[in-house]
Amino acid sequence: MFQTTFRETERLVIVVQETLDKLKSSSGVLAVILTDLDGAILYTASDMDITPPLVRGMILSFAGYMQQIVIQLDMGKLTELDVETTTGRIMMVRTKDKVLSILTTKQSNLGTIRIALGRALKDLSERA
């Protein structure tokens, strides 16, 4: 029984890793960070000088603040967050039990990244 559980867990880790590596390889993507809802990092790939835990903390803090605004406006739950800056974008998507954050360059093709993000979310929900 333990062996099956270990193998299944190992398979899930590989599926998540492959899916998010593919997303990270999209042109213009600087970082991909997957966390659970408590903020524990489940996956990270980054070309940035800032450490993923620091990036994760800042994104989740901002998302928490935005969620408070959404609640005060009686608009349900925050599911996606897109922030455009002078040099790039921060995209955050919340699923039922995870938060996927993507940092991109300003020159990246937003449509292409959204397609890659959609595929990654679909793969994760179907395979992991």
Side-chain angles (χ1 to χ4, degrees), residues 26 48 96:
S26 298
M48 302 177 69
K96 64 180 178 176

Side-chain angles (χ1 to χ4, degrees), residues 16 35 40 62 109 119 128:
V16 169
T35 67
F62 184 68
N109 184 319
R119 283 187 190 136

Side-chain angles (χ1 to χ4, degrees), residues 24-75:
K24 171 61 181 77
S25 70
S26 298
S27 179
V29 174
L30 299 172
V32 174
I33 302 169
L34 180 68
T35 67
D36 64 16
L37 293 180
D38 294 326
I41 294 179
L42 305 173
Y43 168 91
T44 183
S46 176
D47 296 335
M48 302 177 69
D49 291 335
I50 301 172
T51 64
L54 183 59
V55 173
R56 176 228 33 188
M58 290 185 287
I59 291 172
L60 292 179
S61 175
F62 184 68
Y65 178 70
M66 293 305 297
Q67 178 60 41
Q68 289 177 0
I69 293 171
V70 169
I71 288 170
Q72 290 298 316
L73 296 173
D74 196 24
M75 296 191 70

Side-chain angles (χ1 to χ4, degrees), residues 92-107:
M92 185 216 66
V93 178
R94 179 181 173 168
T95 65
K96 64 180 178 176
D97 59 349
K98 294 178 182 58
V99 176
L100 180 59
S101 302
I102 303 167
L103 285 75
T104 72
T105 63
K106 185 75 169 184
Q107 295 76 25

